[in-house]
Amino acid sequence: MEAFAEKPSTYETERDKPMPSLNHAILQRRLVVKLDIAYGKTYEILPEINIDVIDKGRVPDIAITPLLGFNPATDTIQLKEAPLGVIEILSPKQHLRHLVEKSVDYFKIGVKSYWLVLPELQSIYIAHQPGDFEVYTWKQVLKDPTLGIELDLKEIFK
């Protein structure tokens, strides 16, 4: 009997990434809320915004940009300038290598800080250049000197 490959959903095709899980959604919400409360006067904390990257758009789980402000008279569906930081959360069906490769694209367009969240290991890896990751576990305070962000990971992974 022949096995059939699972067909990607519209979500997966449009965003070039797997459908997020419950844990992914919980961590994404916690990160957005905690970062917005602590740094919302300095940065926009934007979930699921399309970013113009090299030859195609990318939709990171969270983008950290300078303050852009809400203006009901104008809107955009794609950021044309690189965010300062990007946060990606590994989904159960996603390959780690794919997210590491995506980080290279982000650095090429000027992203200064790339966070890679590994839910199963309750850890966040931060890079400020391709391939040079520093790891923080759920017991630690994450420190990103490039963005001036500190985040108690117990509050994220509790």
Side-chain angles (χ1 to χ4, degrees):
M1 181 174 227
E2 186 178 322
F4 293 95
E6 192 174 313
K7 182 181 175 187
S9 68
T10 303
Y11 176 96
E12 293 169 314
T13 303
E14 288 176 354
R15 291 169 177 80
D16 189 31
K17 63 184 186 179
M19 181 73 74
S21 66
L22 176 61
N23 284 341
H24 182 286
I26 289 169
L27 292 176
Q28 184 175 10
R29 179 189 54 81
R30 287 180 182 172
L31 283 163
V32 167
V33 169
K34 294 288 184 187
L35 288 169
D36 191 53
I37 288 169
Y39 299 97
K41 291 185 175 161
T42 305
Y43 300 119
E44 299 288 356
I45 311 299
L46 305 171
E48 303 290 329
I49 186 76
N50 194 337
I51 300 168
D52 188 15
V53 177
I54 305 168
D55 60 345
K56 65 179 178 177
R58 290 263 190 238
V59 182
D61 294 314
I62 302 168
I64 301 170
T65 71
L67 290 174
L68 302 171
F70 174 76
N71 183 343
T74 63
D75 201 2
T76 183
I77 59 170
Q78 188 173 50
L79 291 180
K80 299 294 183 191
E81 301 214 6
L84 300 170
V86 165
I87 302 173
E88 292 280 13
I89 303 167
L90 185 69
S91 296
K93 291 184 184 179
Q94 202 164 28
H95 295 283
L96 179 60
R97 181 178 349 169
H98 181 65
L99 290 179
V100 173
E101 289 169 356
K102 283 172 70 172
S103 73
V104 173
D105 287 343
Y106 287 124
F107 285 120
K108 283 181 184 175
I109 65 160
V111 167
K112 305 292 183 214
S113 185
Y114 180 84
W115 297 14
L116 177 53
V117 181
L118 302 183
E120 290 181 357
L121 298 180
Q122 299 182 69
S123 60
I124 298 178
Y125 289 69
I126 297 180
H128 299 108
Q129 60 186 3
D132 188 14
F133 286 91
E134 184 173 347
V135 64
Y136 294 89
T137 68
W138 70 273
K139 298 176 186 180
Q140 296 175 296
V141 173
L142 176 150
K143 295 180 181 179
D144 185 334
T146 300
L147 299 179
I149 291 176
E150 291 192 10
L151 189 63
D152 187 346
L153 294 187
K154 288 178 195 159
E155 297 177 6
I156 302 302
F157 292 109
K158 64 182 170 185

